[in-house]
């Protein structure tokens, strides 16, 4: 019995020893990538430990990216640009000012990347596409296509994106016509939907709306969603009955109300609201307009109403102009001294061209010209000239017997009053045409 017991103990010791030997490499292999990277940083033989294959492991790139002056993989270069642009969408004006220089610097870095990396890591190929779709210079895509350094799966998309960035929208659309953004990887899908929407002509609004919807859904909370909303909201304003205008404007103001590009959106919306004559008499449109105004901050509301008054004046829409002027004048906290003169100018222009000529003529004389822009001042001068021409319009005499004013040959007699009337009418038409031209300049 004693001998059997000793044999059992010896066997147990052998098994335990073997277990420790086997456990050592398993334990070492379970270490985290971070601890492994730290160990490798301090290893003088790290260079010899790298794989000889062109493929570069992710943890090696992450290690290099943390070293001062070390190379960065393309996807990390582009990631910083996307982060910068998302800050712009959230209202970071310092990021907006730095964007142009950062795009140029990133372009130089991408052009200097080792050629093998574009084919060995799909993230890098996607990064090149995303960079150009985000407004970066197209040089990197041009180089990758020329040198056949893109995976085949991205070649057609890259050609389309390059065409778009070079202003060849029709070529880009032809290449993207059958492409479905929802079939792309998540990192590219939203950008692709937005680019495709921008290549379609205005004659297919439903297709554009679908793609902009996709762009918003596929890239929520990013510059892509902000850009898609800015383009879809004016489009929905032309179809006020579907409820999308209210929903999308609320979404934009809630998520991107501080965006650097929000002023541009308000101008686009003002142009659409004026063109669609939202305050011209349709109660439903007027309610939607008032509801939209209530969502804006005072400064935003003032900006939109000032733009709306200008646009409505350009379209000759008296009711919408008066509405915009009246509502803008209520925002005492946001109005500046120089805001009153343009509002007075737009209102007086509508009165002169409408049914209250005398009041409009008196009002336009009180407009402070020094508070107007050069274009607004020119408009004021044209309207004043028009009021003068109308005031001097000659009375055409009443003639009982037209034959008294016929020549011996039976033709009409050009008496001085008729000649003067024709001249004044011609001058007035020229002035009206001049005002129309000025308003188009203001529109631009």
């Amino acid at each position: 019995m004693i001998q059997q017991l000793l044999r059992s103990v010896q066997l147990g010791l052998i098994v335990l020893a073997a277990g420790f030997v086997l456990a050592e490499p398993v334990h070492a292999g379970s270490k985290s990538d971070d601890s492994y990277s730290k160990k490798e940083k301090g290893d003088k033989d790290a260079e010899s430990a790298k794989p000889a294959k062109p493929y570069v492991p992710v943890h090696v790139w992450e290690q290099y990216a943390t070293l001062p002056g070390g190379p960065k993989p393309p996807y990390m270069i582009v990631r910083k640009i996307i982060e910068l642009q998302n800050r712009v969408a959230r209202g970071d004006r310092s990021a907006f000012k730095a964007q142009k220089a950062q795009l140029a610097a990133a372009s130089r870095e991408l052009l200097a990347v080792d050629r093998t990396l574009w084919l060995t890591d799909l993230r890098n190929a996607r990064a090149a596409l995303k960079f150009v779709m985000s407004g970066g210079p197209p040089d990197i895509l041009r180089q990758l296509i020329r040198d056949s350094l893109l995976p085949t799966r991205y070649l057609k998309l890259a050609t389309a994106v390059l065409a778009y960035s070079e202003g060849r929208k029709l070529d880009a659309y032809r290449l993207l016509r059958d492409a479905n953004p929802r079939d792309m990887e998540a990192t590219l899908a939203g950008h692709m939907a937005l680019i495709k929407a921008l290549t379609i002509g205005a004659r297919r609004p439903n297709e554009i709306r679908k793609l902009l919807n996709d762009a918003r859904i596929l890239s929520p909370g990013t510059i892509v969603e902000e850009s898609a909303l800015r383009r879809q909201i004016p489009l929905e304003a032309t179809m006020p009955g579907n409820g999308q205008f209210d929903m999308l404007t609320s979404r934009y103001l809630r998520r991107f109300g501080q965006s650097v590009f929000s002023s541009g959106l308000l101008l686009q919306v003002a142009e659409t609201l004026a063109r669609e004559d939202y305050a011209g008499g349709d109660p439903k449109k007027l309610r939607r307009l008032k509801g939209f105004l209530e969502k804006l901050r005072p400064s935003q509301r003032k900006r939109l109403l000032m733009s709306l008054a200008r646009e409505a004046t350009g379209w000759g829409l008296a009711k919408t102009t008066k509405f915009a002027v009246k509502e803008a004048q209520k925002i005492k906290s946001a109005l500046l001294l120089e805001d009153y003169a343009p509002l007075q100018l737009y209102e007086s222009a509508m009165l002169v061209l409408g049914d209250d000529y005398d009041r409009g003529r008196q009002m336009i004389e009180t407009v402070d010209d020094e508070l107007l822009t050069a274009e607004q001042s020119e408009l004021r001068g044209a309207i004043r000239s028009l009021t003068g021409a109308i005031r001097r319009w000659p009375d055409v005499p009443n003639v009982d017997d037209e034959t008294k004013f016929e020549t011996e040959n039976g033709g009409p007699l050009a008496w001085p009053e008729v000649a003067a009337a024709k001249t004044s009418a011609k001058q007035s038409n020229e002035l009206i045409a001049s005002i129309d031209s000025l308003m188009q300049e203001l529109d631009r």
Side-chain angles (χ1 to χ4, degrees), residues 136-288:
D139 301 354
I140 184 60
L141 268 191
R142 197 178 292 119
Q143 175 179 293
L144 295 176
I145 294 172
R146 182 194 65 204
D147 297 343
S148 301
L149 293 176
L150 281 174
T152 305
R153 62 189 295 181
Y154 296 131
L155 186 57
K156 188 174 182 179
L157 176 58
T159 307
V161 173
L162 180 61
Y164 174 79
S165 67
E166 292 176 343
R168 295 182 286 113
K169 290 187 177 181
L170 183 57
D171 291 340
Y173 178 71
R174 285 171 178 165
L175 289 164
L176 295 173
R177 180 182 300 164
D178 299 325
N180 185 354
R182 291 174 178 261
D183 294 337
M184 295 296 298
E185 293 94 330
T187 54
L188 293 176
H191 277 85
M192 179 183 169
L194 180 60
I195 291 293
K196 187 174 179 180
L198 297 179
T199 63
I200 301 175
R203 290 175 296 178
R204 294 191 290 275
N206 289 332
E207 188 176 353
I208 295 173
R209 292 170 66 213
K210 180 180 181 302
L211 286 165
L212 292 175
N213 272 326
D214 283 348
R216 293 189 298 102
I217 293 168
L218 294 169
S219 299
T222 67
I223 189 68
V224 174
E225 183 189 11
E226 194 270 349
S227 299
L229 282 169
R230 273 191 288 117
R231 287 160 175 83
Q232 190 172 357
I233 287 171
L235 187 60
E236 298 296 347
T238 65
M239 296 173 272
N242 62 13
Q244 290 292 303
F245 175 69
D246 295 342
M247 185 272 288
L248 294 178
T249 50
S250 296
R251 184 180 182 88
Y252 185 91
L253 293 171
R254 185 175 66 254
R255 304 190 69 169
F256 304 107
Q258 302 295 330
S259 170
V260 175
F261 303 114
S262 60
S263 296
L265 172 65
L266 293 177
L267 178 58
Q268 286 181 293
V269 170
E271 291 173 354
T272 306
L273 294 177
R275 187 170 61 249
E276 298 295 321
D277 199 13
Y278 262 62
D282 186 335
K284 291 182 179 179
K285 285 186 174 181
L286 184 59
R287 281 198 301 271
R288 292 186 185 281

Side-chain angles (χ1 to χ4, degrees), residues 37 49 169 172 249 286 327-328 360 365 375 407 412 432:
S37 297
K169 290 187 177 181
T249 50
L286 184 59
E327 292 298 315
E365 292 299 329
E375 292 84 0
T407 63
I432 292 172

Side-chain angles (χ1 to χ4, degrees), residues 274-348:
R275 187 170 61 249
E276 298 295 321
D277 199 13
Y278 262 62
D282 186 335
K284 291 182 179 179
K285 285 186 174 181
L286 184 59
R287 281 198 301 271
R288 292 186 185 281
L289 174 55
K290 289 181 176 180
F292 176 60
L293 291 172
E294 290 174 359
K295 299 169 186 173
L296 301 176
R297 300 190 305 273
S299 59
Q300 292 177 323
R301 196 181 314 143
K302 180 198 79 170
R303 194 179 305 124
L304 180 121
L305 288 168
M306 295 282 288
S307 299
L308 180 60
R310 184 187 69 180
E311 296 297 325
T313 302
W315 286 90
L317 302 171
K319 289 184 178 180
T320 300
T321 300
K322 291 176 182 178
F323 171 83
V325 170
K326 182 179 178 181
E327 292 298 315
Q329 290 173 342
K330 293 179 181 178
I331 316 172
K332 302 295 184 182
S333 61
L335 284 177
L336 303 175
L337 179 62
E338 56 266 29
D339 293 328
Y340 287 95
L343 291 174
Q344 190 177 353
L345 171 67
Y346 300 139
E347 184 178 10
S348 61

Side-chain angles (χ1 to χ4, degrees), residues 402-415 418 422:
E402 295 181 1
T403 59
K404 294 180 181 179
F405 295 94
E406 292 180 351
T407 63
E408 294 179 358
N409 297 326
L413 182 67
W415 64 87
V418 171
K422 289 181 177 179

